[in-house]
């Protein structure tokens, strides 16, 4: 197989383990901490997880390995969106499993959780795994978004495990997948299947974090990749001095990705969805905020700039969410057919204007026609508007254009405004993992096996102290139930891991807030450049500004 020089060099990279895992398998012992409680709704969560609730936090240490010498057959699943480093979780898991006993076996279920249900798998060996070390992507076994959540699926999963003699399943996924890992662990324990379930925290969105999990893997590499591209655009923008660039970045609901990129590149504007929701901002207010920056910069002769927009922002604009809810209602059931049968956009517009409330019609009316039409074209299997597909970068640039035209007419603005659009999402999800993600992921996988070997189930592989050098990282495990609370989902109260949104009183947002007025008016761009894999540790091993600020390191 032909490989690039970097790919070859990355195959040879040795990921750094936490100091406590570096002494060899026979010298890793376990230290149990206090019994845990869920973050909220303790009685309800305890009742739902009678076999896995209240377990102790554990930490690994240097010392005699006392785990039972049992042959392990482990199955691993990659769940949800790709995130750089997933391959290294599998590699770390494989290496620890084989170092413990060469007879141990690792199955990889293909295409996400459905692979387990459909019994679609491969068995890893050295030659296969070595092609994926320190590389991006999830193509080692593929990923998928099927949810493992029903009793029927669990029953099939238990049968598949019994068929192969599987002793443990490792689920690498986000908040939903790890919630389901906890439910599966409880099922396996309640039915005395002997199958343990361990989760690993993944998502570029950065929204699986809490008091125990400092960062989800992939966030570091994805944000570094986007920040490199944004920095390059800023340079271009400051060279040509003729465009306003509107850049949407991934992050389905939380704005951690946008905020981290802003901290890395100091754009003129970065919207933060959580702030938009908190201040109940309207589309018009947001457009005014951006137009103010355009106007101030134009007054200084700078008809250019960069705006970062988080993918999920429109869902956080209250008037927009209300509009979406009305449209979903308007086209529910057979009404969609009536709408689709209308001959042209004018007829459809008349249909819409008769049915929307006055407030929603006002919002609808200010949208560019392409966005109005998008709201009726791209619908999910339930017939709902797919908000994530809305081109919000184009929406906001058009709204800003309208604001500036009005200001020009009023004589308060006389600059030039020409907008370009970008969406950075898939570009970052399969990049070669940064050294941080390569090390963190390998450690998570290695650690997951140690949890299995010591008999734990319903735990999330936990590696902490991440803002320090890897030598000082702390490896262990946390019961997933500790991170759970009850939330209303699809009309039912469900136990879930709480999604971490950007905290407006947290250090990363506070830093951004303290500097953004200056960034909006002046040109303060910073250029992070490409991820560096080889070179001084001060350049290659740096993690995110978000983590550094959260830990008071800068
Ligand atoms: P996960 O939450 O599964 O990690 O995925 C996050 C994400 O990358 C979002 O940022 C993005 O909105 C979404 O996946 C895109 O999903 P898809 O790959 O299905 O297009």
């Amino acid at each position: 197989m032909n490989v690039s020089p970097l790919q070859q060099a990355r195959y040879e990279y040795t990921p750094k383990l936490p100091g406590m895992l570096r002494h060899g398998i026979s010298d890793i012992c376990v230290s149990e901490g206090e019994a845990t409680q869920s973050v909220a709704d303790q009685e309800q969560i305890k009742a739902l997880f009678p076999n896995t609730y209240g377990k102790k936090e554990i930490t690994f240490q240097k010392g005699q390995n006392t785990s039972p010498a049992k042959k392990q057959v482990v199955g691993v699943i990659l769940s949800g969106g790709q995130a750089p480093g997933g391959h290294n979780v599998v590699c770390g898991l494989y290496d620890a499993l084989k170092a413990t006993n060469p007879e141990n076996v690792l199955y990889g279920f293909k295409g996400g959780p459905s692979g387990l249900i459909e019994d679609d798998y491969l068995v890893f060996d050295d030659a296969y795994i070595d092609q994926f070390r320190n590389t991006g992507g999830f193509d080692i076994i593929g990923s998928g978004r099927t949810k493992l959540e029903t009793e029927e699926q669990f029953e099939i999963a238990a049968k598949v495990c019994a068929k192969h003699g599987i002793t443990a399943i490792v689920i690498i996924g986000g908040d939903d997948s790890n919630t389901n890992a906890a439910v599966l662990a409880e099922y396996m324990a309640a039915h005395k299947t002997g199958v343990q379930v361990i989760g690993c925290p993944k998502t570029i969105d950065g929204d699986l974090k809490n008091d125990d999990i400092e960062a989800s893997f992939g966030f570091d590499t994805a944000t570094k990749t986007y920040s490199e591209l944004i920095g390059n655009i800023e340079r271009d923008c400051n060279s040509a001095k003729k465009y306003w660039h509107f850049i949407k970045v991934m992050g389905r609901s939380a704005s951690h990705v946008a905020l981290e990129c802003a901290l890395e590149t100091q754009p003129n504007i970065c919207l933060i969805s959580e702030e938009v929701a908190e201040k109940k901002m309207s589309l018009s207010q947001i457009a005014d905020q951006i137009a103010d920056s355009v106007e101030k910069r134009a007054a200084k002769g700078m008809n250019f700039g960069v705006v970062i927009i988080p993918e999920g922002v429109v869902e956080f604009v209250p008037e927009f969410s209300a509009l979406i809810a009305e449209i979903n209602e308007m086209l529910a059931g057979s009404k969609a057919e009536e709408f689709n049968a209308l001959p042209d956009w004018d007829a459809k517009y008349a249909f819409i204007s008769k049915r929307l409330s006055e407030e929603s019609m006002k919002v609808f009316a200010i949208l560019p026609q392409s966005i109005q039409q998008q709201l009726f074209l791209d619908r999910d299997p339930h017939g709902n508007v797919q908000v994530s597909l809305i081109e919000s970068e184009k929406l906001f640039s058009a709204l800003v254009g309208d604001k500036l035209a009005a200001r020009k007419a009023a004589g308060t603005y006389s600059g030039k405004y020409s907008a370009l659009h970008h969406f950075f999402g898939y570009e970052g999800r399969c990049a070669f993992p940064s050294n941080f993600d390569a090390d963190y992921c390998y450690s998570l996988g290695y650690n997951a096996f140690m949890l299995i070997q010591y008999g734990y189930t319903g735990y999330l592989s936990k590696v902490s102290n991440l803002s320090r050098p890897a030598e000082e990282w702390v490896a262990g495990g946390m019961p997933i139930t500790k991170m759970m609370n009850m939330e209303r989902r699809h009309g039912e109260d469900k136990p879930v891991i709480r999604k971490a949104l950007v905290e407006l009183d947290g250090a990363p947002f506070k830093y951004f807030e303290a500097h953004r007025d200056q960034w909006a008016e002046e040109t303060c761009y910073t250029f992070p450049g490409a991820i560096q894999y080889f070179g001084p540790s001060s350049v290659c091993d740096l993690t995110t500004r978000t983590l550094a600020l959260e830990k008071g390191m800068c």
Side-chain angles (χ1 to χ4, degrees):
M1 187 173 67
N2 276 339
V3 298
S4 71
L6 181 66
Q7 198 170 339
Q8 188 56 47
R10 290 313 278 169
Y11 286 160
E12 287 152 24
Y13 175 77
T14 305
K16 300 186 271 298
L17 281 168
M20 58 189 56
L21 298 182
R22 289 186 188 177
H23 310 285
I25 292 286
S26 55
D27 279 323
I28 301 174
C29 72
V30 79
S31 157
E32 291 201 331
E34 296 295 306
T36 57
Q37 297 250 18
S38 60
V39 284
D41 310 310
Q42 288 85 7
E43 287 314 310
Q44 282 156 288
I45 309 272
K46 189 175 176 183
L48 289 165
F49 295 89
N51 297 281
T52 50
Y53 185 85
K55 304 283 181 208
K56 294 174 177 167
E57 168 168 15
I58 72 110
T59 310
F60 293 114
Q61 291 181 347
K62 179 173 166 31
Q64 175 72 45
N65 187 331
T66 55
S67 64
K70 168 183 166 193
K71 179 181 169 187
Q72 301 285 2
V73 180
V74 178
V76 63
I77 297 168
L78 289 161
S79 179
Q82 284 69 250
H87 287 167
N88 267 26
V89 182
V90 180
C91 295
L93 176 65
Y94 178 84
D95 288 352
L97 169 141
K98 288 291 183 188
T100 301
N101 178 354
E103 300 294 304
N104 286 345
V105 183
L106 182 62
Y107 283 75
F109 287 101
K110 293 188 194 171
S114 61
L116 176 60
I117 304 301
E118 290 157 12
D119 196 15
D120 185 11
Y121 64 89
L122 57 80
V123 177
F124 291 103
D125 60 20
D126 290 356
Y128 187 74
I129 212 120
D130 286 349
Q131 303 169 60
F132 294 95
R133 291 186 186 274
N134 307 301
T135 57
F138 276 8
D139 44 327
I140 190 168
I141 43 175
S143 186
R145 291 200 180 274
T146 305
K147 291 188 192 306
L148 277 187
E149 56 188 351
T150 67
E151 189 87 3
E152 193 194 357
Q153 288 173 319
F154 294 162
E155 230 173 84
I156 300 172
K159 280 191 192 137
V160 171
C161 289
K163 175 177 160 196
H164 299 294
I166 285 176
T167 51
I169 294 284
V170 175
I171 297 181
I172 303 169
D175 53 333
D176 270 355
S177 306
N178 280 297
T179 292
N180 293 337
V183 184
L184 181 63
E186 178 62 31
Y187 176 95
M188 294 293 189
H191 291 78
K192 305 204 179 343
T193 60
V195 179
Q196 297 159 239
V197 182
I198 300 294
C200 287
K202 169 235 75 165
T203 176
I204 63 154
D205 290 5
D207 55 10
L208 172 48
K209 65 175 172 181
N210 48 46
D211 290 348
D212 298 305
I213 303 302
E214 292 176 9
S216 56
F217 79 74
F219 178 71
D220 183 81
T221 310
T223 53
K224 282 187 166 76
T225 306
Y226 305 142
S227 298
E228 181 210 347
L229 298 174
I230 295 167
N232 294 350
I233 283 179
E234 288 179 339
R235 273 273 200 232
D236 195 284
C237 176
N238 197 28
S239 306
K241 302 193 190 297
K242 60 178 180 182
Y243 295 123
W244 271 85
H245 292 265
F246 284 74
I247 305 171
K248 180 168 79 170
V249 291
M250 257 190 189
R252 195 194 302 262
S253 33
S255 304
H256 299 291
V257 172
L259 179 56
E260 170 63 20
C261 292
L263 295 170
E264 287 286 357
T265 61
Q266 304 190 171
N268 302 101
I269 298 283
C270 175
L271 303 180
I272 300 296
S273 306
E274 292 80 349
E275 185 184 28
V276 166
E278 171 84 11
K279 295 186 173 165
K280 299 191 173 38
M281 289 174 82
S282 64
L283 292 176
S284 171
Q285 282 171 318
I286 299 170
D288 265 325
Q289 183 194 329
I290 304 172
D292 288 348
S293 169
V294 176
E295 188 182 320
K296 282 182 188 151
R297 288 174 62 77
K300 295 180 184 172
M302 296 185 287
N303 291 300
F304 62 92
V306 170
V307 181
I308 300 180
I309 297 173
E311 186 183 11
V313 68
V314 285
E315 281 187 87
F316 287 73
V317 178
E319 61 182 13
F320 200 85
S321 305
L323 168 67
I324 299 294
E326 284 189 31
I327 293 175
N328 287 339
E329 182 59 30
M330 183 195 299
L331 298 189
S334 60
K335 286 178 273 179
E337 279 167 38
E338 189 189 337
F339 176 81
N340 290 334
L342 294 168
D344 53 27
W345 179 243
D346 284 345
K348 287 178 175 168
Y349 198 94
F351 178 98
I352 296 162
S353 54
K354 264 191 233 139
R355 287 161 179 84
L356 283 181
S357 66
E358 201 182 322
E359 296 76 50
S360 287
M361 192 56 212
K362 271 192 211 146
V363 179
F364 188 73
I366 64 164
L367 303 178
Q369 196 187 84
S370 61
I371 303 282
Q372 290 176 335
Q373 291 177 336
Q374 241 172 48
L375 296 179
F376 289 86
L377 282 178
D378 303 316
R379 313 183 66 74
D380 72 10
H382 308 286
N384 294 330
V385 175
Q386 293 204 62
V387 183
S388 66
L389 298 184
I390 294 170
E391 294 176 305
S392 42
E393 68 282 25
K394 293 190 180 156
L395 166 64
F396 285 111
S397 83
L399 294 178
V400 170
D402 292 347
K403 292 282 179 193
L404 294 171
R407 292 179 190 197
K408 217 168 225 178
T412 56
Y413 162 76
S414 60
K416 290 190 197 119
Y417 173 72
S418 175
L420 293 178
H421 308 105
H422 315 262
F423 172 39
F424 296 151
Y426 299 96
E427 294 82 347
R429 296 202 312 183
C430 287
F432 277 101
S434 60
N435 285 355
F436 173 85
D437 270 328
D439 299 345
Y440 181 39
C441 291
Y442 189 83
S443 303
L444 286 170
Y446 202 92
N447 197 44
F449 183 72
M450 296 317 300
L451 290 167
I452 292 167
Q453 187 61 17
Y454 272 101
Y456 294 98
T457 189
Y459 276 66
L460 205 57
S461 178
K462 171 177 169 177
V463 176
S464 53
N465 210 23
L466 296 175
S467 57
R468 305 289 307 154
E471 166 72 30
E472 295 170 41
W473 290 357
V474 177
M478 184 58 77
I480 302 175
T481 50
K482 155 119 198 299
M483 301 163 202
M484 293 178 122
N485 66 169
M486 299 299 292
E487 284 179 25
R488 197 97 188 132
R489 297 271 172 99
H490 307 296
E492 272 179 76
D493 287 333
K494 293 219 160 176
V496 293
I497 299 176
R498 190 181 288 164
K499 208 180 255 310
L501 299 180
V502 168
E503 288 176 10
L504 301 183
D505 55 358
F509 182 80
K510 284 284 171 205
Y511 182 94
F512 166 70
E513 194 180 32
H515 293 84
R516 65 176 163 188
D517 289 348
Q518 188 193 358
W519 299 352
E521 250 186 274
E522 297 168 22
T523 299
C524 305
Y525 306 147
T526 45
F527 313 107
I531 296 174
Q532 300 297 306
Y533 300 95
F534 302 99
S537 180
S538 58
V539 176
C540 299
D541 295 332
L542 266 191
T543 184
T544 57
R545 296 265 298 151
T546 301
L547 188 62
L549 284 161
E550 281 170 350
K551 297 289 168 192
M553 309 282 287
C554 62

